């Protein structure tokens, strides 16, 4: 790990601790993390950075569990099972915390491109692309006028509706490693279309990630389509 990577994980740990501190006293935070309250005070207030090993424990251990709880607290599900996650996808600072924790938890291969579907997945994809230093690409249900060449993926859904996504062909190069992300995975149909786009571009898949999985169907479907890691930050009953 070089100096820049060490600094990045230390700053990410501080960001996680600051998020946790919003709803906890230092004593409660000490109980949660196993770190002394005095040290936590210094980290949160920016007086000193945690050591690299401590930072990794915060980001990869406590960070994952607490971020999943925070995510779960922010989403709403109505009586028909529709998920309102606007409290998450509109909060870029929260999504910036998700990226390193997802990368550490699921050990995704470092991507050249983070690929999602417009529109709710874009803010998450932007956070993931920024973390990895990768390009961001998002497929749309319509073609952009000035673009001459597209990659298309088409699928007939269970409802009988035919869904087509378009991505400018220049967005992904052959042999690029692609990380497929989305805010939510339910049936896995959108993720399958994105994986089809990656395959059409002759790219490699480095992983599939969603903030929220509703039921097991979508995650299971994605795992059948790729050998790369597949995961979600939190799980809801279908």
């Amino acid at each position: 790990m070089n100096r820049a990577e060490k600094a990045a994980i230390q700053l990410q740990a501080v960001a996680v601790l600051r998020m946790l501190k919003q709803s906890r006293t230092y004593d409660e935070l000490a109980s949660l993390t196993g770190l002394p309250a005095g040290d936590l005070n210094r980290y949160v207030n920016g007086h000193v950075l945690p050591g690299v090993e401590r930072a990794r424990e915060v980001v990869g251990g406590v960070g994952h569990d607490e971020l999943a709880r925070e995510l779960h607290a922010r989403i709403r599900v109505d009586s028909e099972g529709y998920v309102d996650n606007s409290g998450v996808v509109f909060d870029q600072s929260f999504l910036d915390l998700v990226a390193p924790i997802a990368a550490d938890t699921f050990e995704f291969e470092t991507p050249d491109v983070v690929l999602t579907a417009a529109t709710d997945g874009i803010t998450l994809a932007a956070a993931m692309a920024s973390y990895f230093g990768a390009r961001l690409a998002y497929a749309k249900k319509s073609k952009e006028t000035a673009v001459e060449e597209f990659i298309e993926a088409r699928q007939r859904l269970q409802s009988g509706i035919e869904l087509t996504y378009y991505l400018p062909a220049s967005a992904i190069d052959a042999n690029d490693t692609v990380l497929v992300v989305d805010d939510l995975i339910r049936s896995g149909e959108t993720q399958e279309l994105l994986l089809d786009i990656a395959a059409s571009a002759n790219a490699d898949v480095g992983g599939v990630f969603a903030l929220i999985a509703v039921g097991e169907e979508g995650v299971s479907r994605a795992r059948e389509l790729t050998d790369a890691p597949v995961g979600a930050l939190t799980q809801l009953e279908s």
Side-chain angles (χ1 to χ4, degrees):
M1 181 180 289
N2 60 37
R3 184 176 299 177
E5 291 170 333
K6 290 178 180 178
I9 193 72
Q10 289 171 307
L11 292 172
Q12 289 153 9
V14 170
V16 170
L17 291 172
R18 285 175 175 167
M19 178 200 73
L20 298 176
K21 179 61 181 66
Q22 291 176 9
S23 58
R24 294 170 176 83
T25 67
Y26 280 112
D27 286 340
E28 290 170 337
L29 192 56
S31 177
L32 177 67
T33 63
L35 301 178
D39 289 355
L40 291 167
N41 184 302
R42 288 188 285 274
Y43 299 153
V44 169
N45 288 292
H47 299 311
V48 67
L49 291 175
V52 174
E53 289 307 312
R54 274 192 174 183
R56 290 181 69 96
E57 289 173 5
V58 168
V59 172
V62 175
H64 175 271
D65 294 341
E66 293 305 313
L67 207 63
R69 288 191 183 95
E70 176 71 13
L71 170 60
H72 205 280
R74 290 184 178 209
I75 57 182
R76 300 288 181 268
V77 182
D78 70 14
S79 59
E80 296 182 358
Y82 289 102
V83 178
D84 174 9
N85 59 11
S86 54
V88 179
V89 296
F90 293 164
D91 187 344
Q92 196 66 52
S93 62
F94 179 85
L95 296 176
D96 288 341
L97 294 178
V98 169
I101 289 172
D104 184 82
T105 301
F106 300 107
E107 299 182 340
F108 298 125
E109 186 176 347
T110 300
D112 300 296
V113 179
V114 176
L115 175 64
T116 190
T119 57
D120 281 354
I122 293 175
T123 50
L124 172 63
M128 299 293 283
S130 176
Y131 172 75
F132 284 112
R135 305 193 306 276
L136 169 63
Y138 51 92
K140 296 181 177 181
K141 295 179 183 178
S142 59
K143 293 183 177 181
E144 296 185 33
T145 305
V147 178
E148 294 183 358
E149 187 177 355
F150 291 88
I151 302 170
E152 298 183 15
R154 182 178 291 107
Q155 183 178 124
R156 186 174 295 277
L157 307 184
Q158 293 177 356
S159 61
I161 297 173
E162 189 172 84
L163 180 62
T164 305
Y165 273 105
Y166 304 93
L167 181 75
S170 60
I172 302 177
D173 296 327
N175 300 318
D176 273 347
T177 297
V178 174
L179 175 63
V180 171
V181 307
D182 210 347
D183 63 310
L184 186 143
I185 182 169
R186 188 186 296 269
S187 65
E189 292 169 333
T190 300
Q191 288 72 29
E192 182 170 354
L193 285 165
L194 294 173
L195 290 168
D196 286 347
I197 286 174
S200 297
N202 293 315
D204 300 317
V205 176
V208 178
F209 174 69
L211 278 176
I212 304 160
V214 181
E216 297 285 350
E217 180 184 355
V219 171
S220 297
R221 185 172 185 170
R223 286 177 177 153
E224 291 173 358
L225 296 169
T226 179
D227 294 328
V230 177
L233 185 60
T234 195
Q235 178 91 32
L236 301 178
E237 295 297 328
S238 56

